Amino acid sequence: MKLYASLAVITAVYAIALTLSATDNPQGVVWNGVIGALFSLALAISTVPLGGPLLYETALQILTSTLNPPIDLALLVTVLRIASWAVNLIFTAALILYLIRWKRPLMRKILRVLLF
């Protein structure tokens, strides 16, 4: 979760910066900052083997529809989609290799980074 929490801070700041250029309403700025953070925290869903990126895509659509005021986060969403696939592929490969007992200590470290 440390990985996702650090990404959440970055995406929240990015969303706040974009919102400040669109409105002066403090409630909208805070709301979009929270939604920006949730974009990265939802990456934890991507660790579900095989179905993670599809679940993350659903989360992205829901979160994008709740932005108030609506801002263009296309670049951020594209980067996070790629990150979702990367997290899923790395997690699935590490889990399979861990289960077949190949380089188990290294795979355990990779799984810990992605889960904790």
Side-chain angles (χ1 to χ4, degrees), residues 40-112:
S40 292
L41 291 176
L43 268 176
I45 295 172
S46 297
T47 60
V48 175
L50 303 176
L54 299 175
L55 293 171
Y56 184 69
E57 183 65 33
T58 304
L60 279 179
Q61 290 173 357
I62 292 169
L63 291 171
T64 303
S65 68
T66 61
L67 289 170
N68 184 21
I71 54 175
D72 183 27
L73 292 174
L75 176 64
L76 178 65
V77 169
T78 303
V79 169
L80 290 175
R81 272 192 194 116
I82 294 168
S84 168
W85 279 98
V87 165
N88 184 266
L89 292 174
I90 293 169
F91 182 81
T92 304
L95 185 62
I96 289 170
L97 293 174
Y98 180 81
L99 292 176
I100 63 171
R101 298 175 187 259
W102 188 75
K103 293 195 176 185
R104 204 166 199 180
L106 176 63
M107 296 308 128
R108 185 178 299 130
K109 287 179 184 177
I110 292 171
L111 292 172
R112 282 186 185 155

Side-chain angles (χ1 to χ4, degrees), residues 27-47:
Q27 182 180 5
V29 172
V30 171
W31 178 254
N32 282 355
V34 170
I35 297 300
L38 288 176
F39 275 131
S40 292
L41 291 176
L43 268 176
I45 295 172
S46 297
T47 60

Side-chain angles (χ1 to χ4, degrees), residues 2 11 102:
K2 293 176 190 176
T11 56
W102 188 75

